[in-house]
Amino acid sequence: MVKVSYMIRRDYLVVGAGIGGASACEGIRKYDKRGSVTLVGAEAFPPYKRWILSKSFLREKEANLKKLQEFDERWFEAHKIETRFGTVVTQFNIDRRLAVLANGESIEFTKACLAMGSRPVRPPAAGTSLGNVIYLRTIRDALALREMASLEKTIMVVGGGLLASEAAASLRMMKMKVGLMHRDAYLLNRYVDPNTGVWLTDYFAKHGVVLSMGEALNGFEGKTVLRNIQTKSGNRFPVGLAVVACGAEPNLDLVRNTPLAGPHGSPVTEYLETEEKGIYAIGDLAFYPDRIMGGMRRQTHWENAREQGLVAGANMTGKKRIRYEQVPYFWTEMFDLRMDFVGDFTLPPTRVNLDGSYPKKKFSARYYQGDKLRAILLCQQTQREVDAAKNQLRQAQGK
Ligand SMILES: Cc1cc2nc3c(=O)[nH]c(=O)nc-3n(C[C@H](O)[C@H](O)[C@H](O)COP(=O)(O)OP(=O)(O)OC[C@H]3O[C@@H](n4cnc5c(N)ncnc54)[C@H](O)[C@@H]3O)c2cc1C
C-alpha cells in the first residue's frame, strides 16, 4: 500500500498531550485567539489526571475513566485547537521547523512546545520486560495493573519513592498481599529526613506492607511471566506480579543528539525557551533555572507541568514575556496521609524543626541548610498552610 503524506502549516505545534501540553494550548489561546494550533499526543486519551492512576483510580471497584478527565475533546474544539491523539511525532527537524507524524502527516510550524514528559526508568537488571512486570505511567498501565492485581495474590513493589509508596499503599488498601523492596533504609529517602522517613516506613509496616529495606534488585526471573525477584544480597521472593517504580526519565528521543536533549532534560531559559528561538520545553521534560531556590532543576510533578505549560504558551504568542518563578511543589497521598512538599528537597537538611507530632499524623517539618530555610514538608495540613509555606520560602530566599 502506498503511504500518502500530507504537509500542513501551523503557527504553533505542541508535542505531547499531557497536562503540560494541554496547558500550553491554554496559554496560547489566552493571548492568541486566532493562530493555528495543533496538539499531538501519543496516548489515545485527551489529557487526563495522571496523578490519580496510583491513587483512587487503582482502588475503585470499577475503573472510572470519567474521573480521570482533565481536558475533554470539546474544550479543544471550542478553542479551535486541532488535536491528534493516539499519534506519535516521529521526527522533529529543528532547522526546517518541521515535524513528521506517525500517521504520515508533516507539520511545518513557526513555534513549538516540547511537552513529551517522562517515562519510567527500567532498572539495569535481568527480566525487566517479563509479563507481569508493570511500570505505572499511563491509563493502559493502570488498567493492566488493576486486571492483574485481581488475579494475583502476591505483589511486590520495587522502589521506595513517591510512586512506589503510593502504589504499595493503594494495593494494600485493596487488601492485597503487598511487599515492597527498596535499596535504601527508609521510604522517600530522596525527600525526607531520617526521622520522618523511619516514621513513614513504620506506618507502612503497621498497615501490613511487608518491607524489605536495604535490598537492591538483581533481576526478575521467569520464562515469559514473572516467577521470582532476586536481590543483590541473594534473597529470592516468589511473586506473580511486580510494580517497578524506580524513577522517571525525560522522553528526549525525538530531539536526541541535539542541544535540546541535555543529560538532565531539555535545557531552557527562565522563559522556558530552549536555545532554539521559538522552541520551548516544559513539564517533566524541562531543565529550567529555578529563580526562587536557585540552580537548575527538573521537576517531575503535576503543578510544575501545569504552570510551565501556561507560561510557555503565553510566551510563545510573543504577546507576553513571563518568567517561570514558582516555588517547587508537589504532593502525595498514601493510606490516609496527605503530604505536601514545598521548596528544595534535593540536599539533606543540616537542621530540621518539627512542629506537631508523628503519632497524631499532623506536622510541619522545616528543613534548613545552615540558617537558611530551604524546604517545608507538611503532613495533613490545609491549603492555606501550604500557600503560607510557599510564601515563607520565597521570603527566606529573599524573593
Ligand atoms: C502514577 C503517577 C502518579 C503521580 N502522582 C503525582 C502526584 O501525586 N503529585 C504530583 O505532583 N505529581 C504526580 N505525578 C507526576 C505528574 O503526573 C507528572 O509530573 C505530569 O504528568 C507531567 O506532565 P507532562 O505534561 O510534563 O508529561 P506527561 O504527563 O508525561 O505527558 C507527556 C505526554 O507526551 C506524550 N509523548 C511523548 N513522546 C511523544 C511523541 N514523540 N509524540 C507524541 N506524544 C508524545 C506521552 O505519551 C504523554 O502522553 C504522578 C505521575 C504518575 C505516573
Side-chain angles (χ1 to χ4, degrees):
M1 212 169 76
V2 184
K3 205 169 178 183
V4 187
S5 24
Y6 302 92
M7 165 83 91
I8 55 179
R9 279 200 180 79
R10 293 290 175 262
D11 297 318
Y12 308 99
L13 170 69
V14 180
V15 185
I19 183 63
S23 304
C25 293
E26 198 179 325
I28 292 169
R29 271 296 173 256
K30 194 163 174 205
Y31 299 102
D32 183 350
K33 307 274 185 244
R34 295 223 185 117
S36 51
V37 187
T38 297
L39 170 68
V40 188
E43 291 182 77
F45 301 88
Y48 57 91
K49 295 187 174 67
R50 198 177 295 288
W51 58 269
I52 290 192
L53 297 180
S54 50
K55 304 179 181 74
S56 57
F57 183 77
L58 205 55
R59 298 194 298 263
E60 272 159 8
K61 274 220 147 45
E62 300 288 324
N64 187 346
L65 291 176
K66 251 206 133 43
K67 255 194 168 172
L68 277 170
Q69 205 163 65
E70 179 77 15
F71 284 78
D72 67 8
E73 301 200 52
R74 278 169 310 191
W75 184 88
F76 293 102
E77 272 167 38
H79 291 83
K80 298 201 167 39
I81 291 163
E82 186 185 51
T83 56
R84 300 276 188 280
F85 299 132
T87 307
V88 177
V89 176
T90 54
Q91 289 172 48
F92 189 82
N93 189 314
I94 297 169
D95 295 333
R96 291 176 57 200
R97 305 274 147 148
L98 181 82
V100 179
L101 277 48
N103 66 4
E105 274 179 321
S106 299
I107 302 183
E108 229 177 43
F109 57 84
T110 308
K111 297 200 175 152
C113 182
L114 301 176
M116 288 93 78
S118 45
R119 60 175 171 234
V121 170
R122 292 203 169 211
T128 50
S129 303
L130 281 175
N132 294 22
V133 175
I134 302 244
Y135 302 83
L136 183 53
R137 183 80 203 170
T138 63
I139 294 185
R140 291 172 74 153
D141 298 334
L143 290 171
L145 177 55
R146 283 177 59 99
E147 178 78 23
M148 288 185 198
S150 68
L151 303 171
E152 283 296 335
K153 292 187 201 75
T154 329
I155 298 179
M156 179 67 88
V157 175
V158 180
L162 293 159
L163 183 52
S165 305
E166 286 187 2
S170 286
L171 291 164
R172 187 65 202 128
M173 289 163 89
M174 293 156 71
K175 308 259 181 292
M176 325 244 57
K177 269 190 177 172
V178 183
L180 180 148
M181 56 173 284
H182 182 38
R183 62 182 173 197
D184 289 290
Y186 54 85
L187 297 174
L188 305 194
N189 57 289
R190 276 183 52 205
Y191 305 101
V192 305
D193 62 286
N195 286 343
T196 307
V198 168
W199 165 75
L200 186 68
T201 308
D202 200 40
Y203 200 77
F204 270 65
K206 283 192 179 126
H207 280 76
V209 178
V210 180
L211 297 163
S212 303
M213 307 309 281
E215 289 276 24
L217 175 72
N218 194 46
F220 300 98
E221 297 174 338
K223 273 206 173 128
T224 50
V225 293
L226 175 68
R227 294 268 173 265
N228 296 298
I229 298 182
Q230 206 188 48
T231 71
K232 287 235 156 76
S233 66
N235 279 327
R236 191 171 260 142
F237 300 112
V239 285
L241 178 58
V243 179
V244 183
C246 297
E249 61 193 5
N251 268 325
L252 285 166
D253 295 347
L254 198 56
V255 286
R256 191 71 63 212
N257 301 324
T258 75
L260 275 50
H264 307 287
S266 198
V268 291
T269 64
E270 56 201 4
Y271 301 101
L272 307 178
E273 193 170 22
T274 66
E275 70 169 50
E276 292 291 339
K277 234 180 151 356
I279 301 180
Y280 292 71
I282 56 167
D284 279 20
L285 200 74
F287 188 52
Y288 70 93
D290 184 336
R291 302 214 358 120
I292 310 292
M293 304 307 299
M296 294 289 287
R297 190 178 305 281
R298 172 179 163 255
Q299 284 199 71
T300 53
H301 306 302
W302 185 262
E303 199 172 280
N304 175 67
R306 166 80 183 140
E307 297 299 324
Q308 288 194 342
L310 292 173
V311 168
N315 289 344
M316 285 167 83
T317 64
K319 306 232 168 79
K320 283 276 155 184
R321 198 155 160 76
I322 306 171
R323 292 192 177 96
Y324 182 71
E325 30 194 11
Q326 299 282 333
V327 178
Y329 166 76
F330 61 92
W331 83 96
T332 182
E333 294 163 27
M334 298 160 184
F335 296 112
D336 57 343
L337 303 174
R338 155 93 190 203
M339 286 186 273
D340 292 275
F341 293 74
V342 186
D344 180 10
F345 288 85
T346 49
L347 287 176
T350 54
R351 179 162 61 92
V352 179
N353 256 7
L354 188 76
D355 252 338
S357 88
Y358 294 131
K360 288 195 175 135
K361 302 187 279 188
K362 193 170 162 64
F363 59 85
S364 303
R366 288 184 164 67
Y367 291 1
Y368 291 85
Q369 295 289 330
D371 285 338
K372 199 157 214 177
L373 180 66
R374 293 288 294 167
I376 306 178
L377 162 58
L378 303 102
C379 183
Q380 308 289 76
Q381 306 285 3
T382 60
Q383 184 60 46
R384 242 174 104 179
E385 281 158 308
V386 174
D387 293 341
K390 288 184 184 171
N391 283 335
Q392 215 184 334
L393 274 155
R394 265 180 205 273
Q395 276 165 18
Q397 318 312 308
K399 305 284 171 177

